[in-house]
Amino acid sequence: MNFEEYKNAYRVEASRLCLPDELIDFILGYAEILFNNGLPIIYDQEHFSNLVGYQYEYLLSISNASYSFYKEYHIKKRNGGERIINEPLPSLKEIQKWIAVEILDKSVNKYVSPVAKAYVKGRNIRDNARFHKNKHKVLCLDIVDFFGSINYNQVYSVFRKFGYNKSVSTLLSNLCLLKGSLPQGSPTSPMLSNLIFFHIDKKIFSYCRKNNIMYTRYADDLSFSGEFNVGKLICFVSNLLEKDNFNINDKKTKIISQARRQQITGIVVNQKIQVPRIYRYKIKQSIYYIIKYGLESHLQTIEYNDKPITYIYKMLGQVNFILSINKNDQQAKSYALFFRDLLIQHKY
């Protein structure tokens, strides 16, 4: 149905309900903005509840006390710290997936910068790294608590920018937030972060283009390469981020010359794009010990306490990561065959 057909059908129904012409024109004007943006037309909060299939009162309970609708998990980081994951309960996750698919994902082409390489279909970690191949200098910046730094006003402004009214934007924002910020573990958080960072990406890209610097961003990792004044660039980016409540993690700032191994989000970019040698060596070493001593003995030696099949899937994931960077890597293909055979043995 095109909008003209929608408009005519709406006028017939609105006239039957004796709505004044001025109100009908106002409502259709609002609807046309959303229709032209390729977004679902949502008139009010109760209309939204009908669209997602949950009672309005239930949505209000989530909106007013979202902390009751999450499970918190703690995952160990490589550096010894912990990452907090807040997973929404099934009902809230279903609602958030609807928002992500029907609203957020449809706004990628217009409101997500091409330099953003994470959370977008067709873009990936390899795509992020390839722009920095064989460059004179690489600068990597990391944003402190990326999702946690994004607040209600920033999320609300996204939905208002799309064309939704204040009432709808308020509900949508509350359904996507936990204690006033984006929760790590929610289906809506990744794309919202890209949408909120759009104007920052745009300003950084403009600065970099003028100064012949390559710039890409993978979630909270900002990567720069070329020949440039490091201090000047960091100062510009830092000041820009602070205006929107973001801060650079100084401990993770890396400046790498071409004489050293240059890595972008864990991928070496000096001469060709590849995973680090140590990453590949550890996989090769694991295979050696499994062949020599057997899987169970190997897992005991490394004090792996989970199920053997979980370990196999983990190793397959590491091998597939190598192949995602270089699909023609023959050695990695042989590793994949080894773990697939091992998987079949332990499945049956």
Side-chain angles (χ1 to χ4, degrees):
M1 178 186 291
N2 59 41
F3 190 72
E4 196 63 31
E5 292 172 331
Y6 178 91
K7 185 165 65 173
N8 291 335
Y10 186 92
R11 284 191 181 281
V12 170
E13 183 62 20
S15 297
R16 188 183 67 81
L17 296 172
C18 300
L19 295 180
D21 291 340
E22 294 81 2
L23 179 58
I24 295 173
D25 290 339
F26 175 81
I27 292 172
L28 287 173
Y30 167 75
E32 188 169 14
I33 293 171
L34 297 170
F35 186 90
N36 290 338
N37 284 332
L39 299 173
I41 297 168
I42 308 173
Y43 290 112
D44 54 37
Q45 295 184 356
E46 292 190 47
H47 183 203
F48 176 75
S49 72
N50 291 330
L51 290 174
V52 296
Y54 283 89
Q55 290 185 353
Y56 176 53
E57 291 74 19
Y58 184 68
L59 295 187
L60 286 182
S61 67
I62 298 175
S63 178
N64 294 329
S66 61
Y67 55 84
S68 301
F69 294 84
Y70 285 88
K71 284 185 178 179
E72 186 175 295
Y73 300 94
H74 293 255
I75 298 176
K76 289 184 179 179
K77 294 182 180 180
R78 292 179 182 176
N79 62 9
E82 285 189 331
R83 187 185 306 279
I84 298 175
I85 304 296
N86 288 286
E87 182 184 6
L89 297 182
S91 57
L92 178 55
K93 182 179 282 189
E94 184 180 20
I95 294 166
Q96 289 176 343
K97 282 183 177 179
W98 190 97
I99 295 172
V101 173
E102 299 299 330
I103 299 177
L104 303 179
D105 290 351
K106 291 181 178 178
S107 305
V108 168
N109 292 336
K110 191 173 181 180
Y111 293 116
V112 174
S113 171
V115 304
K117 303 302 180 181
Y119 315 133
V120 179
K121 188 177 181 180
R123 307 182 198 178
N124 51 52
I125 200 167
R126 187 186 190 282
D127 191 34
N128 180 69
R130 70 183 180 88
F131 288 95
H132 305 281
K133 178 183 171 184
N134 200 23
K135 293 295 192 334
H136 177 75
K137 189 186 301 176
V138 166
L139 169 66
C140 300
L141 302 178
D142 178 90
I143 297 174
V144 179
D145 191 18
F146 186 45
F147 283 0
S149 299
I150 294 173
N151 58 42
Y152 173 86
N153 289 336
Q154 290 168 310
V155 174
Y156 176 81
S157 67
V158 166
F159 292 115
R160 290 289 285 155
K161 180 170 64 178
F162 290 167
Y164 290 108
N165 60 37
K166 293 180 180 180
S167 173
V168 172
S169 296
T170 298
L171 180 62
L172 292 174
S173 300
N174 286 333
L175 291 172
C176 296
L177 292 161
L178 172 62
K179 297 178 182 178
S181 61
L182 288 186
Q184 191 157 343
S186 163
T188 50
S189 293
M191 188 53 69
L192 275 170
S193 71
N194 273 342
L195 293 162
I196 287 163
F197 219 82
F198 175 65
H199 74 283
I200 300 176
D201 281 333
K202 191 174 180 181
K203 288 177 182 177
I204 295 177
F205 176 75
S206 178
Y207 175 91
C208 289
R209 184 172 59 182
K210 290 176 183 177
N211 292 278
N212 199 29
I213 304 168
M214 188 62 68
Y215 165 60
T216 61
R217 179 178 61 81
Y218 194 83
D220 56 355
D221 290 308
L222 283 63
S223 302
F224 306 86
S225 61
E227 294 189 48
F228 50 87
N229 183 310
V230 173
K232 189 177 178 181
L233 176 58
I234 292 177
C235 185
F236 170 79
V237 175
S238 180
N239 290 336
L240 188 62
L241 292 177
E242 286 177 4
K243 292 177 182 177
D244 283 87
N245 199 42
F246 296 109
N247 292 287
I248 293 173
N249 187 342
D250 294 330
K251 293 180 180 179
K252 291 187 177 181
T253 296
K254 292 185 292 183
I255 306 160
I256 316 168
S257 68
Q258 203 167 27
R260 296 165 55 206
R261 185 179 65 189
Q262 296 174 327
Q263 283 188 217
I264 299 288
T265 54
I267 301 173
V268 179
V269 294
N270 289 74
Q271 297 298 323
K272 63 178 182 178
I273 300 171
Q274 59 184 355
V275 298
R277 287 181 182 177
I278 187 65
Y279 187 96
R280 302 170 63 93
Y281 174 75
K282 286 181 178 179
I283 296 174
K284 183 179 180 181
Q285 189 179 49
S286 296
I287 292 173
Y288 170 80
Y289 286 125
I290 291 170
I291 293 172
K292 187 171 183 178
Y293 300 110
L295 179 62
E296 285 73 16
S297 178
H298 171 61
L299 295 182
Q300 287 177 6
T301 302
I302 64 173
E303 298 181 352
Y304 187 83
N305 298 319
D306 212 332
K307 296 177 181 178
I309 198 166
T310 305
Y311 175 79
I312 298 170
Y313 276 121
K314 173 191 169 186
M315 297 306 296
L316 263 175
Q318 292 181 7
V319 174
N320 286 333
F321 173 67
I322 298 175
L323 290 170
S324 73
I325 305 305
N326 182 3
K327 63 181 180 180
N328 296 317
D329 190 313
Q330 296 304 314
Q331 189 177 45
K333 285 182 178 180
S334 69
Y335 294 166
L337 285 174
F338 175 84
F339 284 111
R340 284 171 192 158
D341 289 343
L342 201 62
L343 184 64
I344 292 171
Q345 293 172 31
H346 283 77
K347 262 189 171 182
Y348 304 102

